[in-house]
Amino acid sequence: QIFNIFIDLEKNLPPLIEKNNGLDYLYQITEGKQIGRLIMKNDLLIVDKDDSDQDLLVEVTRKPIYGYLEHKDSPRFPVYQFTQADINANKIHFILNKIDDRISEDYFEFDVVDKHGNILKANKFFIRWSLVNFEENELSIMESAGKVRVHIKKSGNLKRFSMVTCKTVSDTAKSNRDSRSYDFIHTNVKVEFNEDESLKA
């Protein structure tokens, strides 16, 4: 009997970083009011033709300064190793825990190791964000002024669209929502910052 024999060369291909876009904005994560963001496969994608995503290990060699990486299964604990499978399953967060008005950028360095021992060394993953604050801490306004303009400043990464909600809150002065006899008209507005805009009123 005649039959064919196929011989495959056993390959040992190194991993390849196909995407390393970093994070260019952060937001308030609802659980616990933390500020951070998921790292998804659109942000970091490592591929290897002869290893599974579970076998592609990311080892953090220089941790971020102003935050930490967190695994969804172990909240509030920094992690220094995770896999591409963890990223694909939306389990890796960056959490910002040191907020400084002068700082809007951080990064971590990492190596990638596959099951066969191939290593990609000294890769950087950048994290950038913006801060939105009132420009003045305090305003003195005459009651006869009628209207007041409050300035809102965006600093840090200006390359992303941002939207914040600004609303008045009653204290000793009462709004038209609080009583029939009121001192001011309640305001609730959305303020939008387009790319490269840094000041709105």
Side-chain angles (χ1 to χ4, degrees), residues 32-146:
K33 295 189 176 179
Q34 292 175 311
I35 295 172
R37 193 171 144 202
L38 265 176
I39 298 176
M40 298 188 289
K41 61 182 179 181
N42 285 335
D43 309 312
L44 181 62
L45 179 61
I46 302 155
V47 295
D48 193 325
K49 289 185 177 179
D50 53 3
D51 282 305
S52 70
D53 291 339
Q54 189 64 49
D55 294 325
L56 296 174
L57 185 66
V58 176
E59 295 183 337
V60 178
T61 57
R62 186 264 193 197
K63 61 185 181 180
I65 295 173
Y66 301 99
Y68 61 93
L69 299 170
E70 175 186 279
H71 195 286
K72 187 180 178 183
D73 296 341
S74 304
R76 295 180 296 281
F77 291 102
V79 293
Y80 303 103
Q81 285 188 344
F82 52 90
T83 66
Q84 180 63 45
D86 291 326
I87 295 174
N88 297 349
N90 295 332
K91 290 191 171 184
I92 305 300
H93 279 94
F94 170 76
I95 305 294
L96 184 68
N97 63 354
K98 296 178 187 174
I99 299 174
D100 186 327
D101 287 351
R102 299 163 297 175
I103 305 296
S104 58
E105 184 176 299
D106 203 352
Y107 72 92
F108 63 88
E109 285 189 13
F110 64 96
D111 295 344
V112 178
V113 185
D114 70 9
K115 187 171 67 173
H116 298 97
N118 295 308
I119 302 178
L120 294 177
K121 283 185 170 288
N123 308 283
K124 287 186 179 181
F125 186 88
F126 285 94
I127 302 142
R128 297 177 178 92
W129 61 90
S130 56
L131 296 163
V132 181
N133 293 307
F134 291 114
E135 189 172 40
E136 304 92 351
N137 291 330
E138 194 174 289
L139 287 172
S140 296
I141 305 296
M142 295 292 291
E143 288 183 349
S144 59

Side-chain angles (χ1 to χ4, degrees), residues 22-34:
L23 303 178
D24 59 358
Y25 68 92
L26 303 177
Y27 53 83
Q28 186 170 305
I29 301 169
T30 51
E31 304 92 26
K33 295 189 176 179
Q34 292 175 311

